[in-house]
Amino acid sequence: MAEGQWSPGRKEADADEFRPVLDIVEPARQRRLTVLLRLLLLIPHFIVLFVLHIAAFFTVIVGWFAALVLGRLPDPVFRFLTGVLGYDMRVSASDMLLIDRYPPFALTPPADYPVQIEVRPTPLNRLAVLFRAFLMIPAAIVQSLAVYGWWALAFVWWLITLCLGRMPRPLFEATAATLRYRMRFSAYVMMLTPAYPKGLFGDDDLAVVPERSRSATRPLVLSSAAKWLVVLFLVLGLAGHVISSVTASTSDDIDDTYDTRLMGS
């Protein structure tokens, strides 16, 4: 599919629980110069995202109280948080090398932009809203491991994309699956959806509608190689967290021993 020709395709799970959708149009090629300077080029967006995340944090708090009373997010809150989530996904898709087109400085992107999200206003279960901070813990662990694992080898993915002028399809699929899971987790945390995050290993083949134009990630059907890459992300993420914990614990023990010796002397 040519870059910029975005088509929403089938609205998955219309008959069941709708889960937020991340549509990414896979570019045929990427400009090596923009790949080389990708993180530097995105610095202005990182600054904007920092400010937006602060605003979103307080908006989520307001939305949480409102959802407990109304059983849904107020429309202005829903629209703002959806805009922030979409902005985050467009910048993340760029820094994770999924697209080559520079993200716009807008909460609402052009219709032909190769990264789009779909989140639908939905009634919320008040009990689930009340305990949202506890319910999200398992998904938080999964998304943390997957994202941490991807970034552990980010230099390798960057080098491969730089050399080839494109991201290999299995790597594209695994990266898109990781980003989509993070997007669904964020949408759940923001109370934009009652649907618990799922789909880290892609969608069922039966979700594909024959003879229908769609983006590369709607549905997102992972090859075996892509699924193994997702497993690699999770393993690396787990190893990284364990090493960090052990290192922090060892450092604390050394500091405690040093303080004890100082007090003894």
Side-chain angles (χ1 to χ4, degrees):
M1 198 175 209
E3 180 172 344
Q5 296 178 345
W6 174 76
S7 174
R10 178 184 178 184
K11 294 183 182 299
E12 64 176 90
D14 281 338
D16 302 309
E17 187 177 46
F18 176 79
R19 290 187 178 83
V21 176
L22 175 65
D23 276 292
I24 302 176
V25 178
E26 182 182 10
R29 303 286 298 178
Q30 296 201 42
R31 293 164 293 177
R32 289 182 173 86
L33 183 60
T34 62
V35 173
L36 177 66
L37 304 175
R38 184 62 53 91
L39 293 180
L40 290 176
L41 293 172
L42 290 175
I43 288 177
H45 281 291
F46 296 149
I47 296 173
V48 173
L49 268 178
F50 176 77
V51 176
L52 285 176
H53 283 157
I54 294 175
F57 173 79
F58 291 104
T59 304
V60 168
I61 294 176
V62 173
W64 183 80
F65 284 104
L68 282 178
V69 176
L70 303 174
R72 61 178 178 81
L73 286 180
D75 291 341
V77 172
F78 182 88
R79 287 195 298 270
F80 176 71
L81 292 178
T82 299
V84 173
L85 180 60
Y87 194 107
D88 187 2
M89 289 303 105
R90 291 187 290 276
V91 175
S92 296
S94 182
D95 69 34
M96 294 179 81
L97 305 174
L98 289 168
I99 59 170
D100 190 43
R101 187 169 164 183
Y102 197 72
F105 288 94
L107 293 182
T108 303
D112 66 343
Y113 193 76
V115 178
Q116 304 278 349
I117 69 167
E118 183 182 347
V119 184
R120 302 179 188 175
T122 309
L124 300 172
N125 183 302
R126 290 180 176 86
L127 191 60
V129 170
L130 180 63
F131 293 103
R132 184 64 51 108
F134 300 100
L135 293 173
M136 71 184 190
I137 291 175
I141 294 172
V142 172
Q143 73 92 28
S144 176
L145 294 180
V147 173
Y148 190 101
W150 189 93
W151 281 102
L153 291 179
F155 178 77
V156 176
W157 314 141
W158 173 81
L159 193 61
I160 291 173
T161 306
L162 181 64
C163 293
L164 298 179
R166 61 180 179 82
M167 180 174 276
R169 187 55 191 264
L171 179 57
F172 176 89
E173 294 172 356
T175 303
T178 300
L179 183 59
R180 187 181 70 169
Y181 191 88
R182 184 168 80 81
M183 184 269 293
R184 289 178 171 176
F185 170 74
S186 297
Y188 184 75
V189 171
M190 292 178 174
M191 294 167 293
L192 294 172
T193 177
Y196 204 74
K198 292 182 180 179
L200 180 58
F201 288 91
D203 301 321
D204 194 321
D205 294 19
L206 298 177
V208 178
V209 181
E211 306 290 334
R212 193 160 195 175
S213 177
R214 67 187 193 282
S215 76
T217 61
R218 186 171 186 169
L220 178 56
V221 180
L222 270 61
S223 63
S224 297
K227 291 179 180 179
W228 278 110
L229 280 172
V230 173
V231 172
L232 175 63
F233 298 163
L234 293 171
V235 171
L236 288 174
L238 179 60
H241 282 295
V242 170
I243 292 173
S244 297
S245 298
V246 171
T247 302
S249 177
T250 303
S251 177
D252 290 340
D253 290 342
I254 293 175
D255 291 341
D256 290 342
T257 302
Y258 181 72
D259 291 341
T260 302
R261 289 178 178 177
L262 286 177
M263 292 176 65
S265 62

